[in-house]
Amino acid sequence: MKFLKIQALVLVLVLLIGTLGCKKEDVGPNSKIAGTWKITSAVYKDSSGPLEFWALYNAVYACTKEITMTFTEDGKYSVSEPANCVDQDGLSLFLFTKNGTFTLTDDIALDIIESDSTPYKGKVVFGEGKFTWTYEEIFQGENSTLTVTFTQVK
């Protein structure tokens, strides 16, 4: 009987130590998007149909393939572009300002707020190693949609 009590006590101690030794992974509200991403597709669609303009950018400006966007757990983003990756007017080729903030809500809505406070409120769908962001607006009286696919940089 005494032997069973000692075994039970040892078992409880082992389970207790094992439980206390396990560390829970810190999963914040932005954990799905936190990291560095590259645009792999950007499609603008209006009444004239879809235009895959990111492929055109990549064909004309090869440096756009190297542009990355990093999202942090604290709700900020930053863009990294190769030096001299600009258009003929000297302007950035990326879709957003070089830094800003974002709000990810319930892993279905992603609002990107540029450094000049311009907000782009969109919907987001996460997949394995990628996410798709869709932004809709009325431009010059016409419905238009921008759908951007980001792939995580390893």
Side-chain angles (χ1 to χ4, degrees), residues 1-56:
M1 194 62 136
K2 197 174 193 182
F3 181 71
L4 286 174
K5 286 182 183 180
I6 292 174
Q7 277 185 326
L9 182 60
V10 169
L11 181 62
V12 168
L13 285 174
V14 167
L15 290 174
L16 185 60
I17 290 170
T19 303
L20 293 176
C22 291
K23 182 179 167 188
K24 266 192 172 177
E25 208 174 291
D26 187 23
V27 179
N30 296 324
S31 63
K32 273 195 172 180
I33 201 169
T36 301
W37 305 81
K38 280 187 182 183
I39 291 180
T40 52
S41 172
V43 178
Y44 178 79
K45 183 179 177 186
D46 61 12
S47 63
S48 62
L51 172 65
E52 202 339 336
F53 72 89
W54 197 251
L56 295 173

Side-chain angles (χ1 to χ4, degrees), residues 120-136:
Y120 295 97
K121 297 176 181 271
K123 296 176 184 160
V124 66
V125 176
F126 287 94
E128 187 64 37
K130 69 178 185 174
F131 72 89
T132 301
W133 178 76
T134 303
Y135 170 73
E136 297 176 352

Side-chain angles (χ1 to χ4, degrees), residues 56-127:
L56 295 173
Y57 268 26
N58 287 181
V60 176
Y61 303 101
C63 63
T64 57
K65 295 176 189 173
E66 303 307 315
I67 298 174
T68 60
M69 188 169 188
T70 300
F71 296 89
T72 60
E73 275 286 348
D74 63 350
K76 295 177 184 171
Y77 78 82
S78 61
V79 174
S80 176
E81 298 175 282
N84 301 318
C85 190
V86 294
D87 66 12
Q88 62 272 16
D89 297 322
L91 300 173
S92 170
L93 295 165
F94 199 64
L95 304 175
F96 305 106
T97 58
K98 285 199 177 252
N99 53 54
T101 60
F102 71 91
T103 304
L104 180 61
T105 307
D106 298 329
D107 294 339
I108 59 170
L110 174 60
D111 300 342
I112 297 174
I113 300 94
E114 293 186 314
S115 57
D116 65 0
S117 298
T118 303
Y120 295 97
K121 297 176 181 271
K123 296 176 184 160
V124 66
V125 176
F126 287 94

